[in-house]
Amino acid sequence: MVTKPISGPREAERFTTTSLTPVHRLYTPADIVDIDPEQEIGLPGEFPFTRGIHATGYRGKLWTMRQFAGFGSAFDSNKRFKYLLEHGQTGLSVAFDLPTLMGYDSDHPVSEGEVGKCGVAISSLADMEVLFDGIPLEQVTTSMTINCPASVIFAMYLAVAEKQGAVRSRISGTLQNDILKEYIAQKEWIYPPRESMRLVTDVIVFCTREVPRWNTISISGYHIREAGSTALQELAFTLRDGIEYVQWAVQAGLDVDAFAPRLSFFFNAHNDFFEEIAKYRAARRIWAKVMRDRFGAKDPRSWMLRFHTQTAGCSLTAQQPYNNVVRTAIQALAGVLGGTQSLHTNSLDEALALPTEEAATIALRTQQILAMESGVTNTVDPLGGSYFVERMTSDMERGCFDYFEKIDAMGGMIGAIEHGYPQREIQDSAYHYQCAIERGEKVIVGVNEFVAESSAPLPILHIDDSVAQLQSERLRSLRASRNQAAVDRSLTSLQAGARSNENTMPLLLDCVRAYATLGEICDALRPVFGEYQESAI
Amino acid sequence: MAGRKIRVLVAKPGLDGHDRGAKIVARALRDAGMEVIYTGLRQTPESIVMAALQEDVDCIGLSVLSGAHMVLCPRLMELLREKEMSDVLVVVGGIIPEADIPRLKEAGIAGVFLPGTSTQEIARFISDHVPSKPEG
């Protein structure tokens, strides 16, 4: 084998991070003279939590290894969940298919070709009953990645719990429910921003009163980064989204300390090791300051930013896919050194299809090796005090407050979204990054350097279309056997409630109990709320 | 009409909202001197063919990352045939397993671009393969 020498681009290359931010050759004490070690860095478990939210770090509690999964029918996923629970997993993380994520039933014409493909298909309470059949919802925690129809799916979850006889106050889990990043990055929406924010706020208010252990939103930067933002933009837009949610809940009459401890965050872990670590450390410091100083929160739990991390899907390559195991390990290590509460590691076949079982196992093993073999869990925030990391952390913080100022001046995040501001910022960054790759300034091993002739193809998970047929039959028999008058009544009350300022959650519960379908419920709200159209950006 | 610019319709069919790739490609083709129309998200094969007809494009570039390409791409090709628009060059990019490529080509898709393809390569492919239009 001939090794190719590192060539050309090195000369011309500027020394920049993955986000194209320049970095110096060396950092010394002179670089951090403006950073007050007590005020800004402090100790883990203490304000402003730069060094972590727990004094004991991972000694007290390891991060949760929470791998996101789901495919096919509710029957398929139920089997998979039971297998995982039997093998010691205590938390579930549900991936839904695209029709469900967009609020369409499996038999809607636009669902063709998409049913069960990137997650499980759920069209009614009947499917949800199958999904959690034999799984005691009082004993597991469930994370559900869903946004525009989040409150409908959550109502189905609560209705299953109710049928199991579970006590609502003991149900625990997380709903992604982060609609703002949909307008900014992932683009799964139904209604306009303000109407959608009302649905999100209804969930927060309802849970604060009735389901106190539920994490009401997972405020997500992951998708913002995947759409091409820089690390700083990911951080700034995500935290500014968080501010928007807090504002709306406070305006709805809640005391900030009553709900803020149940907000959680979700960040990306991209390639640039130190930049990512600085991002997580800055996130905690900024949130602590925002919650205390901007919102007057008094409960320390309201100041603490808890977050989930997923390694960067967009960094993985279809070329030489085994290299992705190494990329994922480095990214996961950044998440851990940044103090993440939970972690999903991507599989090596991410750029090709949904993971095979073998690829998913290697991804999980990567986390176990970090946790058990590397020794990094022994010491809290081992990079704290590094001239370089502290400088970067403080620069991230400053950049973030600059973005907050701009967004505040646009009337907050909804105003900014309506102006297309975060969308345009992300688009520009994505384009500049692509150009840097094509000019060879940024090297992607196996793509624009060290390119190999194509290797043997990987085995790929293939999902057939039988799920769509099964779902269509189930929906047909559901619509024939349910009490249609009760369905119509519940949908009419939902519309009336949505027109007034009544909390929609109890009304959604009535709809799902009557077996109104996801599509019918989302459709009922369209004439009330309108539909969102993205303007050209 | 010498020097007529190549006209490309960049389209996102299906429910998937991942538009990073589509937007980067649209911008890069514009920088390469083509006229680019981007459809926006969640188009049906019918609406894409309609837009291609109205805009009189030379090429349609589809972006699919959801796994629904084997339903969406053949349907689009069928509609193009029905409208007698088979001279329009169709290319697709996204998360597409290699095993599906021969069937997409059989259906009439001229080029399939996987993750990691440079935008220059896509631009070159389009300008090399777009059929030259009769004068006038």
mmCIF file of all heavy atoms in Angstrom, chain B residues 14 25 31 44-46 63 88 112 114 134-135:
data_model
loop_
_atom_site.group_PDB
_atom_site.id
_atom_site.type_symbol
_atom_site.label_atom_id
_atom_site.label_comp_id
_atom_site.label_asym_id
_atom_site.label_seq_id
_atom_site.Cartn_x
_atom_site.Cartn_y
_atom_site.Cartn_z
ATOM 1 N N GLY B 14 -41.560 14.799 -1.714
ATOM 2 C CA GLY B 14 -41.782 14.015 -0.503
ATOM 3 C C GLY B 14 -41.878 14.882 0.738
ATOM 4 O O GLY B 14 -41.866 16.109 0.680
ATOM 5 N N VAL B 25 -26.618 23.084 -3.539
ATOM 6 C CA VAL B 25 -26.485 22.765 -4.962
ATOM 7 C C VAL B 25 -27.090 23.895 -5.801
ATOM 8 O O VAL B 25 -26.493 24.340 -6.785
ATOM 9 C CB VAL B 25 -27.136 21.405 -5.288
ATOM 10 C CG1 VAL B 25 -27.229 21.199 -6.797
ATOM 11 C CG2 VAL B 25 -26.334 20.263 -4.652
ATOM 12 N N ASP B 31 -23.792 29.897 -9.223
ATOM 13 C CA ASP B 31 -22.420 30.414 -9.329
ATOM 14 C C ASP B 31 -21.718 29.868 -10.566
ATOM 15 O O ASP B 31 -20.792 30.485 -11.076
ATOM 16 C CB ASP B 31 -21.617 30.053 -8.071
ATOM 17 C CG ASP B 31 -22.026 30.907 -6.874
ATOM 18 O OD1 ASP B 31 -22.857 31.825 -7.064
ATOM 19 O OD2 ASP B 31 -21.531 30.661 -5.759
ATOM 20 N N THR B 44 -44.971 17.441 -4.841
ATOM 21 C CA THR B 44 -45.355 16.142 -5.388
ATOM 22 C C THR B 44 -44.688 16.012 -6.757
ATOM 23 O O THR B 44 -44.340 17.025 -7.382
ATOM 24 C CB THR B 44 -46.881 16.064 -5.576
ATOM 25 O OG1 THR B 44 -47.261 17.114 -6.473
ATOM 26 C CG2 THR B 44 -47.613 16.241 -4.255
ATOM 27 N N PRO B 45 -44.527 14.783 -7.245
ATOM 28 C CA PRO B 45 -44.002 14.625 -8.608
ATOM 29 C C PRO B 45 -44.831 15.445 -9.610
ATOM 30 O O PRO B 45 -44.268 16.064 -10.522
ATOM 31 C CB PRO B 45 -44.126 13.126 -8.857
ATOM 32 C CG PRO B 45 -43.992 12.513 -7.492
ATOM 33 C CD PRO B 45 -44.678 13.481 -6.570
ATOM 34 N N GLU B 46 -46.143 15.502 -9.420
ATOM 35 C CA GLU B 46 -47.013 16.269 -10.312
ATOM 36 C C GLU B 46 -46.643 17.748 -10.316
ATOM 37 O O GLU B 46 -46.527 18.376 -11.372
ATOM 38 C CB GLU B 46 -48.492 16.117 -9.899
ATOM 39 C CG GLU B 46 -49.104 14.752 -10.192
ATOM 40 C CD GLU B 46 -48.694 13.665 -9.193
ATOM 41 O OE1 GLU B 46 -48.016 13.979 -8.188
ATOM 42 O OE2 GLU B 46 -49.034 12.484 -9.423
ATOM 43 N N SER B 63 -33.744 16.177 -4.762
ATOM 44 C CA SER B 63 -33.005 15.873 -3.541
ATOM 45 C C SER B 63 -33.910 15.063 -2.624
ATOM 46 O O SER B 63 -34.982 15.525 -2.241
ATOM 47 C CB SER B 63 -32.595 17.184 -2.874
ATOM 48 O OG SER B 63 -32.145 16.938 -1.563
ATOM 49 N N VAL B 88 -35.906 16.255 -20.946
ATOM 50 C CA VAL B 88 -35.389 16.946 -19.756
ATOM 51 C C VAL B 88 -34.461 15.992 -18.998
ATOM 52 O O VAL B 88 -34.814 14.850 -18.712
ATOM 53 C CB VAL B 88 -36.544 17.401 -18.836
ATOM 54 C CG1 VAL B 88 -36.009 18.005 -17.548
ATOM 55 C CG2 VAL B 88 -37.436 18.391 -19.549
ATOM 56 N N VAL B 112 -26.907 9.903 -10.464
ATOM 57 C CA VAL B 112 -27.240 9.766 -9.043
ATOM 58 C C VAL B 112 -26.019 10.221 -8.244
ATOM 59 O O VAL B 112 -24.921 9.692 -8.434
ATOM 60 C CB VAL B 112 -27.596 8.301 -8.692
ATOM 61 C CG1 VAL B 112 -27.934 8.181 -7.211
ATOM 62 C CG2 VAL B 112 -28.766 7.807 -9.545
ATOM 63 N N LEU B 114 -24.234 10.770 -4.602
ATOM 64 C CA LEU B 114 -24.278 10.371 -3.197
ATOM 65 C C LEU B 114 -23.611 11.432 -2.315
ATOM 66 O O LEU B 114 -22.936 12.326 -2.824
ATOM 67 C CB LEU B 114 -23.579 9.022 -3.048
ATOM 68 C CG LEU B 114 -24.147 7.898 -3.936
ATOM 69 C CD1 LEU B 114 -23.468 6.568 -3.620
ATOM 70 C CD2 LEU B 114 -25.666 7.752 -3.730
ATOM 71 N N PRO B 134 -32.721 23.239 -29.860
ATOM 72 C CA PRO B 134 -32.740 23.825 -31.192
ATOM 73 C C PRO B 134 -32.794 25.341 -31.099
ATOM 74 O O PRO B 134 -33.333 25.896 -30.133
ATOM 75 C CB PRO B 134 -34.016 23.270 -31.818
ATOM 76 C CG PRO B 134 -34.851 22.787 -30.672
ATOM 77 C CD PRO B 134 -33.922 22.445 -29.568
ATOM 78 N N GLU B 135 -32.229 26.008 -32.063
ATOM 79 C CA GLU B 135 -32.224 27.475 -32.058
ATOM 80 C C GLU B 135 -33.640 28.024 -32.086
ATOM 81 O O GLU B 135 -34.543 27.381 -32.612
ATOM 82 C CB GLU B 135 -31.480 27.996 -33.293
ATOM 83 C CG GLU B 135 -30.004 27.636 -33.328
ATOM 84 C CD GLU B 135 -29.189 28.407 -32.306
ATOM 85 O OE1 GLU B 135 -29.367 29.625 -32.229
ATOM 86 O OE2 GLU B 135 -28.386 27.785 -31.588
#
